[in-house]
Structures are given as structure tokens and as C-alpha cells.
Amino acid sequence: MKISKGWITAIIVVVVLILFVSWGTSIYNHLVNKEETVNQQWANVENVYQRRTDLIPNLVATVKGVANFEKSTLTAVIEARAKATSVNINPKNLDEASLGRFQSAQDGLSSALARLMVVVENYPQLKATQNFSDLQAQLEGTENRITVERRNFNEVAQNYNAYVRKFPVNIIAGMTGFTQKAYFKAQAGAEKAPKVEF
């Protein structure tokens, strides 16, 4: 039995198409896995920020108990908390603008908390309470966790972004809607060492 040239050509085309579809499917599945890793790490970031947000009402209640405490400082913390909790990001849309809004709101809360801690220095009776000490320790631990989770997020986002940009993956990524993710950046002015005067 003799196979015609047309059949041989058709078989070769089918085999090439099967190989191409298999290759494209493999790349697509790899993109999905990497994006899910980024999404999971984003959930970890949101979780530690939520932990910090959840500690604030207890901190404010503890500080309110001290007579003559500056109400404007407490108001600033409460307003910054409200702003921080109002900014939510869908992990599918982790672009520069949305992450910038999120980071700005969180930085505002960090700033308000830092001002609160500075003002607390003027109230030794508050610093001496066990409840305040516990809350302060929990906040410090949470800030450390935030730093770790942000760094971890940047690492998985970098890994994902590098993969999305590689040729020929970038072709499949572009056709299927996979885009690069934004990174957390240091606060403005963080590159300058603080000036200490005695």
C-alpha cells in the first residue's frame, strides 16, 4: 500500500499542530501557576495589613482611657485606618496605579501610627500599662510581618514578570491576557538617612 504525498503532508501538518498546541498549553498552564503564586502572596500581604488594621481599635480604646490625650492624634489614626481599609485591589489588576493607591493609603496609616507612638512618649502612665505594652508589641511584630510579606510578594512578582517577558512566552501571555504585576516600592524619602541631633 502506497501513501500519497498529500497524506504525508497532512500527517506532518497534524503532528506539527498537535506539538504546537501542546507547547502552547504547557506555557499557558505555567503562566496560570505563576500567576496563582502571585495571587496567593498578595493574599498574604493583605492578611498582615488586615491584622494591623484589626489591632488599631484596641490601641485607640486603650489610649483614649488616658486623660488629656491629644484627640487630634487619635482622629488622624482613625481616619487613616478608614482610608486604608477602603482601598482594595483585585489581584488580577496589580498594576502600578492600583498598587500605588494601596501603598499610599497604607503608608498614611503607618505615618499616623508613628505619630501616635511619638505622642505616647509624653504619657508614661500609658506606656506602663500591660494592655498598651501588649498592643505595641503586637503592632511591632505585625510591621515586621508586613515587611517580610511585601518582600516575598516582590520576589514572586519578579519571577512571574520575568517569565511573562521571555520570548516566546510573551507571545502566549499577550494572546491570553497575562500582564506584568507591579512591585511594592520604598516610601518616598526612604533613601535618605534620617538626621539625628543631640
Side-chain angles (χ1 to χ4, degrees):
M1 183 166 139
K2 200 172 187 184
I3 300 175
S4 71
K5 264 186 161 180
W7 277 105
I8 292 175
T9 304
I11 290 171
I12 291 172
V13 167
V14 167
V15 168
V16 167
L17 280 174
I18 289 171
L19 290 174
F20 182 75
V21 168
S22 296
W23 170 79
T25 302
S26 174
I27 287 178
Y28 179 82
N29 289 338
H30 219 76
L31 283 163
V32 168
N33 287 338
K34 287 186 176 290
E35 186 174 56
E36 284 304 312
T37 302
V38 171
N39 294 347
Q40 179 213 0
Q41 188 54 48
W42 176 251
N44 292 345
V45 168
E46 286 183 318
N47 184 41
V48 291
Y49 275 116
Q50 184 62 50
R51 175 178 164 71
R52 177 176 72 171
T53 302
D54 291 345
L55 289 171
I56 290 172
N58 293 335
L59 182 67
V60 168
T62 301
V63 171
K64 267 186 182 176
V66 175
N68 302 324
F69 193 84
E70 287 94 359
K71 295 206 184 315
S72 63
T73 305
L74 288 177
T75 302
V77 170
I78 293 166
E79 288 172 356
R81 179 185 184 269
K83 184 175 181 187
T85 56
S86 70
V87 178
N88 295 312
I89 299 177
N90 179 341
K92 294 276 186 194
N93 188 28
L94 283 169
D95 59 9
E96 291 284 333
S98 59
L99 191 59
R101 283 190 304 276
F102 179 84
Q103 188 171 350
S104 176
Q106 295 299 335
D107 289 348
L109 181 54
S110 294
S111 226
L113 283 171
R115 285 191 304 277
L116 175 68
M117 293 306 169
V118 167
V119 171
V120 162
E121 293 296 320
N122 298 327
Y123 296 87
Q125 73 275 21
L126 176 60
K127 287 174 53 180
T129 67
Q130 186 63 42
N131 194 22
F132 181 79
S133 294
D134 291 347
L135 285 167
Q136 189 175 19
Q138 288 181 44
L139 271 173
E140 289 169 0
T142 300
E143 292 297 332
N144 289 337
R145 289 181 188 150
I146 288 170
T147 300
V148 168
E149 294 302 341
R150 281 174 52 148
R151 184 190 69 232
N152 291 344
F153 173 81
N154 280 350
E155 287 173 1
V156 297
Q158 185 277 330
N159 182 285
Y160 167 83
N161 288 343
Y163 187 70
V164 165
R165 292 180 57 212
K166 289 179 182 175
F167 180 81
V169 176
N170 60 349
I171 296 168
I172 303 292
M175 288 173 21
T176 54
F178 288 91
T179 59
Q180 292 187 51
K181 307 294 183 187
Y183 299 107
F184 277 102
K185 297 178 182 169
Q187 281 183 310
E191 70 281 357
K192 298 176 189 168
K195 191 174 184 180
V196 179
E197 294 179 10
F198 294 100

